[in-house]
Each structure stands twice: as C-alpha cells, then as structure tokens.
Amino acid sequence: MREHIFAYVTMANTKLFDADDQRYRITPSQQMLCSCLGALTTSTLVTPLDVVKIRLQAQHRTVAPNRCFIYCNGLMDHCIICVNGQSKALNSPISKEQWYRRPGQFTGTLDAFVKIIKTEGVFSLWSGLSPTLVLALPATVVYFTTYEQLRCFMKDRREVENSLFYHKPVWLTSLLAGATARTWAVTVVSPLELIRTKMQSRKLSYREIGVAVRDLVKNRGLQGLWQGLPPSLMRDVPFSALYWASYETYKKSFTSSEITMFQSFIGGAFSGMLAAVVTLPFDVVKTLRQLEFGDSLGSGESLRKASTTKQLFQRIYRQQGIGGLFVGLVPRVAKIAPACAIMISSYEYGKYYFTLRNKQMLEET
C-alpha cells in the first residue's frame, strides 16, 4: 500500500502505463469504491467548515420554527427544517439536538474551531453529517461511475471507429459525459430528496411516508416525485459539463498518462472555481427554491404555492437587478473549490491504485 501511495505522489512525467487501457482498466465496482473514497474524504474534510459557518451565523440570528437553512457536507446541499423549534434529522423522523443553536461566543472562524473542540469535543465539528451521507453517498457513486463509464465508452469509440465522437476533442466528449452523468444522477436521486424533505418536515413514521408518497403519486402522477427536478438540472448539469470539460483538458496538457495527486488537486480546484462562477445564477435560484420548498413543508402550506424557476429569476432581477443573480460569489467559490479538489484527487488516487493492482494481477497470470 505504501508503495502505491509513494508511486502516485512522486510520479511526474514518466509514462508508466495508460490507466484507460482496456486490459487493466478499473471495473464499475472499483469505480464505485473510488467514488466512496472520494465522497467520504471530501465530507470529512469539508463538513467542519460548514458547521463552523452555521454556528457563526446562528449566534447573530435566530432560526425561527418552521424555517430552514442550507447545510453542505461538501457533496450536496441539504435543507434542514426546524419544526416547532426542533431540528429534524435529514433522513430520520426523530428529532435531534439543535447542534447549531448551542451557545457560543465566537469572534471568528479560528476561534470557533478552538472553542467548539474544547467545550463540545472534536466530533461536534461533524454535527449532522451522518444523515446527509445517506443521500449524498449514493448520488456521488452513481454520478462518478456513470461519468467514468460514458467517458471510457466515448474514448474507445473515438479510437477504433469512425463514429459520432471520432473527430470530437477531449473537452467535448468530457462535456457530454459529464452532462449526461449528472442528469442521470440527479434524476435518480430527486425522488429520494423529496421523500427526505417530507420526512424532516413532520413527525412521520416510515409507514406514513409510504402513504404520503402514494397519495402524491395518486394526486399528481409519477411526475410528482420529480417536482424539484428542473431547478436541480439547471444548476448541476451545466456545472458538471463545464467542470469535466476543463478538468480533462487540464489533464491532457500533461505528457504523462497519469498526473500526481497534487496536480489533480490543483486541476480540480481550478475547474470547480470556473464552473462555480459560470453557474452561480442557477445556484442562487436553486437555493431560494430549496428554502421556499422547505419553509412551505415546515409551515404546512400547499406545495402549489411554490414559485416556479422563471418566477424566481424574474423576482431576483426585479428586486436586485442582474447583480442579484451573482450574490454569494466568494462564499460559493470558497466552498466549491476545495470540495472539488479533494474529491477528484481522492478519486484519482483510488483509480490509480486499482489500475496498478489490476495490471499487476494481469502480469502474474
């Protein structure tokens, strides 16, 4: 194991092997394990930053009952609803401790880190993480595995056939694979996200959740399970398309078939920043939609009163002008860049490890 780590970190421009070689290319199950490695590493390192941010914000404002706020574990944004003053776990009908309302007089980010660890224990920096992973982990696995399968499929066709993708550059095939993979992942997860939000909005048992879902399908049809899909697609699909196009182009600039962990970290951060800036207006609308949806569930209002994506765009433009669509640029980039960097570098390490392992097993047979 130590040899694999050393080889990956120190490898520079020496072409050891092609990781996309069909003889020892990683399998779908290995791609899933790599995705899990990246997802767990990212959430472990990024979640404390968001927990501290929420705690700092909480000491300056009161979160009213039936209101909600956004919690990010580095993989997905989650809407946490406070029902009658009680914070509800994202994937459980059981009330949890209001970790974000614990008293603390913090003067800044570093001071908050030190005081939380000293008075509440180091594990308080990961408050609320476990329930969010129930949804975020499968979504990440589906997304990365689908992307890798599509990318390899397009690459193989480009190399051996005069096909649709034969004359297409790397950035375009990566853009198509990234957009398709994200569309599939978001579509698969959207009904689960709807169910999760319903579970946290009221004290519902798992049987009652089943009844609520059947009623939803009865009243609105199967499409009711995907009622929050359009704004998610508007933000996530362009982001993924731009991210993978820029990252794969960055990788292509190196002469070696593999890049070091540091190089993939830099490429992930840069690509994440670029995609975050371009897709910021869609993120603003998506966040408002999440908060509005969560507030309506928490207060028991009808979901029919929710604003459409077009109405939200018009409202923001009318009230704040074009600048309103780019509010929160610095915080978004500061959150996205490290998350993308950690995720892709962890994933690339896992990919390299399994590829080298497959190559060694092939040579031994």
Side-chain angles (χ1 to χ4, degrees), residues 42-51 71-73 125-127 129:
T42 302
S43 58
T44 300
L45 296 178
V46 174
T47 296
L49 300 175
D50 206 60
V51 169
Y71 174 98
C72 178
N73 58 14
L125 294 175
W126 289 273
S127 299
L129 174 61

Side-chain angles (χ1 to χ4, degrees), residues 35-60:
S35 303
C36 287
L37 170 65
L40 292 174
T41 303
T42 302
S43 58
T44 300
L45 296 178
V46 174
T47 296
L49 300 175
D50 206 60
V51 169
V52 168
K53 182 201 73 175
I54 292 171
R55 294 290 297 275
L56 286 169
Q57 292 174 342
Q59 71 178 358
H60 297 297

